Amino acid sequence: MRRILLACAVSAAAVATVSMAAPASAPPLIARTKLFGNPSRSAGRLSPDGKWLSWLAPRDGVMNVWVAPTAEPAKAHAVTTERVRPIRSYFWSPDSSMILFVNDKGGDENFLLYGVDVATGAQKTLTPFDKTRVEVFGVSKLIKDRILIGLNNRDPRWHDVYSLDLKTGALTKVMQNDGYAGFGVDEQLVVRSATRPTPDGGYQVFKVTNNQVAAQPEETIAFEDSDGTSPIGYTFDGKTRYWIDNRGRDTAAFVAQDVATGKRTLIAQDPRADIGEALMDPRTGRVQAYGVNYLKTEWTPLDPAIKPDLTFLKSHLKGEIAVTSRTDADDLWTVAVDPVTSPVTYYLYDRKVKRLTKLFTTRPELETATLAAMRPVEIKTRDGLTEVSYLTLPPGVATDAAGRPDHPVPMVLLVHGGPWGRDSYGYSGLPQWLANRGYAVLQPNYRASTGFGKKYLAAGNLQWGLKMHDDLLDAVDWAVKTGVTTRDKVAIMGGSYGGYATLAGLAFTPTEFACGVDIVGPSNLNTLLASVPAYWESGRRQMYRRMGDPGTPEGQAVLKAASPLYKADAIQRPLLIGQGANDPRVNPRESQQIVDAMKAKGLPVTYIVFPDEGHGFARPENNIAFFATSERFLQTCLGGRSEPFGSAFAGSSITAPYGAAFAPGLKDALAAAGKPAP
């Protein structure tokens, strides 16, 4: 089943009672442009025929797709021409003749599909429809000239199935969708199954024959199992269907089903965490290895043919390893390695001769920088659950054998979004930036985080602002007790649900945090659920079961009690809010409401809006501008380091509708950039 994710203004003296100076051995400041600007290259892949390499790289300052002959990477050239919005997702056509990518306008998440002919450079819009969001349902290794996509231009709630001819652009309707969340497609691009949500938040799987959905379901998945149970694909001969399945167990297992008999065979499971990744043979579609991400990702080979490759990669590459593409012949792979303390590097791997050739490092400007290590930790909550969390300490801070600092440092509690997602081990610009500025960074996977089994997920049901918030407080308690920080030197920061957690932290526990940075966080859960995008219809009942049902008086009461808006007058600590004007998930009204409430009570708050962004900030210029403001803000309330504003607002659309005077240096920086500062 498709998971839906939501991706300070009092005096610092009032909250700062302990001085925590940066250690004498602190490394030089890393420029924000190196952390949040465009990477030099990223997302390296091979064409299916192995003749081409591709990656994302800047073209005139905007991320575009580049291609090069596999044998001559230096002969790369850009094949796309995006001028404003960076390309973040692309893939090859099955016949290796085209690059396909999706993009939206200003963060509205109405993603359209585009195609570029690699030989001629000709680009065309393959889904030229307004207010439409494309979904890719099927790309085949066997059928080379077309793919199956979903379009919601007829009914914004549901995606009809279309066959797209990649050469001509012709769209042929395969099935009209009158209430199905998704479709299972085999390697012949035949629709084999359809999933439909049920009123209780679960879903049913129906067999599809000749594009007709059966009258009765072949599987019914209860709400409790719905997040961790889903058919994921077929072998190329169509005889085996694979599932991720947590029915009858806590964590999701990998299961094979004989299509003819219905018999199921357990392939792999792990009691610690869900099976989250798999490597499939590009010639047969059969599973060859699986990955489990508990503290870090651990790969287990199933096919003897691939075991020597995984062993070779593990012995030669130090860090988290990801196979990002494989040719149809399976002779060449692209592999990314993430050491955390240095930027991600991509390699070309030749299976036949067991040879790795370095292709590129995503951010070579960071290769000489002192980056911070990340340490997985397990934190016990007050009711006995285990929060898998990640601690990053400032470089230069001495630690003991257990990885604890020899003296407490200011800390930022960095809360992930979703909330039905998770933080994982690996390089990330945000914790590296914060650690470089002198802060410990703690990233807790609170209850409701996914990947740790259905019990942990369900423990977050109806617990927004309650036990989910307690988990964050328990993480802070752990950090204080272990000497990482002191209680008066902790800020809270996050985006989406993490932004909500920031608002809840300041409103529900007004003296717990020194300050907060909220990025696109909802303040009123009733209005949030009333304004979610139409294409989230298939997951609506599941959201209600997990958050509260706004269609009932009881549900409305639960949602209101968990909404920081109604406790805005309790906020005592500095608050900085960042919002995209075109956000389709968390309507800008969510930020505006709490800003208005704080203004009415005379509570200072700084409100930043980007007119060309949505749910989060895609343009690097806007990220740099917001984090420049954030680091001066954090410096005031926590006492860390900051880089001068300088030209941080160059090219950004940043506006400050309210409270610029409450954020140190912001008003002057806006004026220097020629932007209004109300």
Side-chain angles (χ1 to χ4, degrees), residues 263-480:
K263 180 182 177 181
R264 296 172 185 270
T265 302
L266 176 65
I267 295 176
Q269 64 179 336
D270 190 299
R272 303 168 302 163
D274 298 337
I275 304 293
E277 300 178 76
L279 291 176
M280 315 300 283
D281 191 326
R283 296 161 299 184
T284 66
R286 296 194 175 279
V287 62
Q288 294 183 297
Y290 67 91
V292 174
N293 183 5
Y294 181 59
L295 301 179
K296 300 179 181 180
T297 300
E298 302 169 15
W299 283 98
T300 301
L302 297 171
D303 184 345
I306 206 174
K307 184 175 181 179
D309 300 293
L310 297 182
T311 300
F312 175 85
L313 294 176
K314 187 175 181 179
S315 65
H316 285 75
L317 301 174
K318 303 306 178 185
E320 293 284 277
I321 296 170
V323 178
T324 64
S325 68
R326 300 164 71 174
T327 60
D328 284 352
D330 206 24
D331 54 345
L332 296 174
W333 296 359
T334 49
V335 179
V337 60
D338 179 358
V340 178
T341 52
S342 58
V344 175
T345 297
Y346 281 78
Y347 292 86
L348 179 67
Y349 172 55
D350 187 319
R351 292 188 71 200
K352 184 177 180 180
V353 297
K354 297 287 188 294
R355 182 176 62 229
L356 284 165
T357 302
K358 182 178 176 180
L359 294 174
F360 58 83
T361 296
T362 55
R363 295 183 181 272
E365 60 272 26
L366 293 179
E367 288 186 296
T368 58
T370 303
L371 298 183
M374 174 182 276
R375 181 165 67 93
V377 295
E378 295 174 292
I379 298 172
K380 285 295 182 184
T381 67
R382 63 192 66 184
D383 56 352
L385 300 181
T386 300
E387 287 185 277
V388 170
S389 305
Y390 298 93
L391 177 66
T392 304
L393 294 175
V397 171
T399 59
D400 62 18
R404 294 176 297 228
D406 64 356
H407 66 278
V409 296
M411 188 180 87
V412 176
L413 187 73
L414 188 58
V415 185
H416 72 71
W420 309 293
R422 65 162 292 174
D423 273 324
S424 295
Y425 182 83
Y427 171 87
S428 175
L430 268 176
Q432 290 293 343
W433 162 65
L434 291 167
N436 180 261
R437 272 38 175 179
Y439 308 118
V441 184
L442 185 59
Q443 298 171 264
N445 284 305
Y446 48 85
R447 72 190 68 205
S449 298
T450 54
F452 303 101
K454 62 187 178 187
K455 292 179 183 177
Y456 196 72
L457 172 64
N461 292 348
L462 306 182
Q463 294 301 315
W464 285 49
L466 299 171
K467 290 183 179 179
M468 291 167 69
H469 186 57
D470 288 345
D471 291 348
L472 302 181
L473 301 181
D474 292 346
V476 173
D477 286 346
W478 173 89
V480 172

Side-chain angles (χ1 to χ4, degrees), residues 405-595:
D406 64 356
H407 66 278
V409 296
M411 188 180 87
V412 176
L413 187 73
L414 188 58
V415 185
H416 72 71
W420 309 293
R422 65 162 292 174
D423 273 324
S424 295
Y425 182 83
Y427 171 87
S428 175
L430 268 176
Q432 290 293 343
W433 162 65
L434 291 167
N436 180 261
R437 272 38 175 179
Y439 308 118
V441 184
L442 185 59
Q443 298 171 264
N445 284 305
Y446 48 85
R447 72 190 68 205
S449 298
T450 54
F452 303 101
K454 62 187 178 187
K455 292 179 183 177
Y456 196 72
L457 172 64
N461 292 348
L462 306 182
Q463 294 301 315
W464 285 49
L466 299 171
K467 290 183 179 179
M468 291 167 69
H469 186 57
D470 288 345
D471 291 348
L472 302 181
L473 301 181
D474 292 346
V476 173
D477 286 346
W478 173 89
V480 172
K481 291 174 183 176
T482 56
V484 171
T485 191
T486 56
R487 192 166 297 280
D488 61 329
K489 282 292 187 176
V490 180
I492 184 169
M493 179 178 185
S496 194
Y497 178 86
Y500 162 84
T502 297
L503 298 177
L506 298 189
F508 298 159
T509 49
T511 60
E512 185 71 29
F513 298 99
C515 57
V517 180
D518 154 35
I519 305 169
V520 298
S523 64
N524 182 339
L525 301 189
N526 275 295
T527 54
L528 169 72
L529 291 178
S531 61
V532 296
Y535 49 79
W536 282 14
E537 184 63 31
S538 65
R540 185 181 295 273
R541 297 308 307 178
Q542 194 175 101
M543 290 182 70
Y544 292 175
R545 289 286 300 271
R546 300 205 185 280
M547 295 177 63
D549 187 345
T552 68
E554 297 81 8
Q556 290 176 13
V558 168
L559 293 166
K560 183 176 181 179
S563 297
L565 176 64
Y566 299 103
K567 292 289 184 68
D569 58 351
I571 294 176
Q572 301 178 27
R573 300 293 165 82
L575 175 60
L576 171 65
I577 296 176
Q579 179 67 51
N582 306 314
D583 191 338
R585 305 187 188 198
V586 177
N587 190 286
R589 177 175 57 171
E590 294 299 318
S591 292
Q592 188 66 56
Q593 287 177 126
I594 200 161
V595 170

Side-chain angles (χ1 to χ4, degrees), residues 2 135 137 149-152 154-162 173-183 194-197 211 213 535 538:
R2 182 171 59 191
E135 291 192 354
F137 286 146
I149 63 172
L151 295 174
N152 64 339
R154 179 188 60 84
D155 184 333
R157 299 171 301 168
W158 310 110
H159 285 75
D160 296 333
V161 184
Y162 284 85
K173 183 182 280 190
V174 175
M175 292 179 63
Q176 181 165 304
N177 181 355
D178 293 313
Y180 295 93
F183 299 89
T195 57
R196 184 172 68 187
N211 299 326
V213 180
Y535 49 79
S538 65

Side-chain angles (χ1 to χ4, degrees), residues 58-77:
R59 177 179 188 174
D60 298 326
V62 179
M63 294 299 282
N64 275 277
V65 183
W66 294 60
V67 300
T70 301
E72 299 177 281
K75 292 187 175 181
H77 65 283

